[in-house]
Amino acid sequence: MIAPARTIGAAIGLAALGACVTANAGDNPLPSALEAGWEGKPVCELLHRSDTHRVLECSFAPGVGHERHFHPAHFGYALSGGTMKLTDANGDRIARIATGSSYSSDGVAWHQVVNVGDTTVTYLIVEEL
């Protein structure tokens, strides 16, 4: 289903979440990845913002997830990999994400994730604004 990636543009877990569906804040009532959290606590930190993009670091300890949210077009890089359960309109799936893998997406209308592995998973996400 998802192959480990070594180069930019290669698919990893989150790329399988309806990457062809474009989403943006103007037409989506859900929180973005930055605003969404898990059990009332944030999971993403804003590292940088410009007029054209923002950079997020999102970290998921074992058992921690990310409530339902959307993403505009973005690029993601796995700072540390692991095993995530992904849920979207297509159902549930398990993704094994390799450290150092990357992906790009035209946007995700909605998804939610939870770390079902035993290692912390951390992504660097660059979103278009």
Side-chain angles (χ1 to χ4, degrees):
M1 170 180 21
I2 306 288
R6 292 185 314 121
T7 60
I8 293 175
I12 66 170
L14 295 182
L17 296 177
C20 295
V21 177
T22 302
N24 63 50
D27 64 9
N28 199 317
L30 293 173
S32 73
L34 180 60
E35 289 80 28
W38 184 253
E39 299 179 349
K41 297 178 183 173
V43 294
C44 294
E45 175 186 356
L46 179 63
L47 299 180
H48 173 78
R49 183 184 177 107
S50 74
D51 291 339
T52 60
H53 68 276
R54 69 182 182 185
V55 180
L56 309 176
E57 182 177 322
C58 303
S59 188
F60 308 95
V64 172
H66 208 182
E67 68 191 24
R68 188 180 289 214
H69 62 282
F70 79 95
H71 287 275
H74 63 284
F75 168 83
Y77 179 82
L79 296 169
S80 60
T83 305
M84 301 291 283
K85 177 182 175 186
L86 314 163
T87 303
D88 65 9
N90 296 317
D92 295 336
R93 63 191 141 298
I94 300 296
R96 288 169 184 76
I97 299 146
T99 297
S101 59
S102 63
Y103 69 97
S104 62
S105 171
D106 291 333
V108 177
W110 75 269
H111 72 190
Q112 59 192 40
V113 301
V114 64
N115 182 344
V116 295
D118 57 3
T119 61
T120 297
V121 176
T122 304
Y123 294 102
L124 187 66
I125 299 175
V126 181
E127 294 182 328
E128 293 180 14
L129 297 178

